[in-house]
Amino acid sequence: MPRNLIMVMDDIAKIKPVKDTSFAFLLEGSRRGYPLFYANIESLWIDGDQAGVTLYPIEVQDDSKNWFSLGKPKRHVFDAGDWVMMRKDPPVDANYIYATLILDRAKAQGARVVNDPKALRDFNEKLAISYFGQWMPPTLVSASHAQLKDFIQTHQKAVIKPLDGMGGRGIFMVSHGEANVNAILETLTGGEKRLAMAQAFLPDIKDGDKRVLVVNGQIVPYLLARIPGSEDFRGNLAQGGRGEGRPVTEVERAIVESVAPTLLAHGITFAGLDVIGDRLTEVNVTSPTCVRELDQQFGLNIAGQLFDALESG
């Protein structure tokens, strides 16, 4: 057992504990008797050749109105007694990259970091599908308006999104010939200065954007289908989608069998795959969600499955 379980995440006071996966991990750590600590990426530091963090001891309880209490902060140099769970939400911006570089040093000092900080930099959640061409939908990544317009014309309808977002933010559905295409492309690419991703629109979204969780290379046997509301094409729960738990099918199992070896090779212990129909649209590795929803619907303990894997590894 580690001396410290350190959760690096966004402001815990602003989460929805009934839905938050990082909170599920804290609860599991508490059940197992781990000393729990909380930090934000702004609390990480390097002093000379030592990487460390300013930590808050934290106690948690499964109470939607009073879910945590913090102790007094203390400076801590990372060492072999630490498990660090890096759960900061995107965007993967400069500050995020700097945090992963500090966590590289933490790892060199003996700490175990989940997911691996190098993977968090190298395994972009949008671009990672290019490792798995047999499962990806027609996809273009470009800053060129001409290329993006050609893609939209070829497929007649496309979903266009930034490479560093989450929760459905900044995602547009565009049809060929729409009057607002130029404005959307200018917004996403910053006038052809930023890359954006275009994917052919998948009609199977009506049946849900399926979140498939992978723990240490193993598929969780149930998924959460996030079904769009009546006024939005996006299935993201943050955008009003409805979550419906379902058993995984042979399609999702086949996708995970293809993806899991690459995840493990990159040091990704916990991932969330986004699947529409039989197409893989994203590989979420920064802060995958839906643990609490699946636990509640099917009596699972996905956090326990992850902790078992970490303890045996």
Side-chain angles (χ1 to χ4, degrees):
M1 177 184 293
R3 289 196 306 272
N4 304 306
L5 177 62
I6 301 168
M7 185 66 64
V8 180
M9 60 183 289
D10 292 300
D11 187 352
I12 193 169
K14 296 181 179 179
I15 68 170
K16 295 180 179 178
V18 71
K19 292 179 176 292
D20 195 90
T21 293
S22 299
F23 185 65
F25 294 158
L26 285 168
L27 286 174
E28 183 65 21
S30 178
R31 284 191 288 266
R32 295 186 182 221
Y34 293 160
L36 302 182
F37 297 90
Y38 158 77
N40 310 125
I41 64 169
E42 297 82 7
S43 303
L44 297 166
W45 45 263
I46 289 179
D47 188 350
D49 63 352
Q50 295 290 299
V53 61
T54 300
L55 296 171
Y56 286 86
I58 184 171
E59 295 182 359
V60 292
Q61 49 276 332
D62 200 358
D63 181 335
S64 61
K65 294 183 179 179
N66 181 31
W67 59 92
F68 76 101
S69 59
L70 298 180
K72 293 182 179 180
K74 65 175 184 177
R75 280 170 55 92
H76 173 75
V77 175
F78 289 114
D79 62 30
D82 298 331
W83 280 1
V84 183
M85 303 195 83
M86 175 54 163
R87 293 279 307 172
K88 171 72 175 71
D89 287 342
V92 180
D93 55 12
N95 280 338
Y96 189 101
I97 296 299
Y98 299 150
T100 65
L101 292 169
I102 295 175
L103 291 175
D104 275 342
R105 300 304 309 141
K107 183 179 173 184
Q109 291 166 205
R112 184 169 187 177
V113 184
V114 180
N115 288 312
D116 188 277
K118 186 175 188 297
L120 295 175
R121 291 193 302 275
D122 294 353
F123 214 77
N124 179 272
E125 297 185 317
K126 306 296 190 294
L127 298 176
I129 62 170
S130 63
Y131 284 83
F132 316 107
Q134 72 273 36
W135 296 111
M136 65 189 293
T139 299
L140 171 71
V141 176
S142 177
S144 165
H145 291 184
Q147 289 186 37
L148 290 164
K149 286 180 180 178
D150 285 346
F151 183 89
I152 296 166
Q153 181 176 4
T154 297
H155 298 283
Q156 291 299 296
K157 186 183 287 188
V159 173
I160 307 179
K161 51 191 172 182
L163 296 180
D164 63 353
M166 63 163 290
R169 293 192 293 270
I171 297 179
F172 296 87
M173 181 171 64
V174 184
S175 296
H176 175 57
E178 280 189 19
N180 63 351
V181 170
N182 287 334
I184 290 172
L185 296 183
E186 288 166 7
T187 298
L188 282 175
T189 69
E192 299 190 302
K193 296 184 184 302
R194 290 191 302 269
L195 294 168
M197 173 177 279
Q199 291 180 326
F201 176 75
L202 300 173
D204 284 334
I205 185 63
K206 69 181 186 301
D207 297 320
D209 181 355
K210 297 174 287 187
R211 170 57 56 85
V212 182
L213 296 178
V214 186
V215 178
N216 200 39
Q218 300 298 311
I219 191 170
V220 173
Y222 296 90
L223 59 81
L224 195 73
R226 298 160 299 172
I227 301 169
S230 59
E231 298 182 354
D232 205 316
F233 73 95
R234 297 168 295 181
N236 307 79
L237 301 182
Q239 304 302 332
R242 172 175 59 85
E244 180 182 296
R246 301 172 185 165
V248 298
T249 69
E250 290 306 310
V251 168
E252 290 90 41
R253 290 188 181 278
I255 292 173
V256 170
E257 287 177 5
S258 296
V259 172
T262 301
L263 296 178
L264 292 174
H266 280 79
I268 299 169
T269 309
F270 183 66
L273 312 186
D274 288 348
V275 178
I276 298 175
D278 61 355
R279 298 294 93 185
L280 176 66
T281 61
E282 292 187 16
V283 181
N284 297 276
V285 300
T286 55
S287 54
T289 60
C290 298
V291 161
R292 299 222 77 188
E293 294 91 337
L294 290 172
D295 281 355
Q296 290 158 9
Q297 289 190 43
F298 299 106
L300 305 176
N301 181 8
I302 299 168
Q305 182 181 345
L306 175 61
F307 276 62
D308 286 346
L310 293 172
E311 289 173 354
S312 63

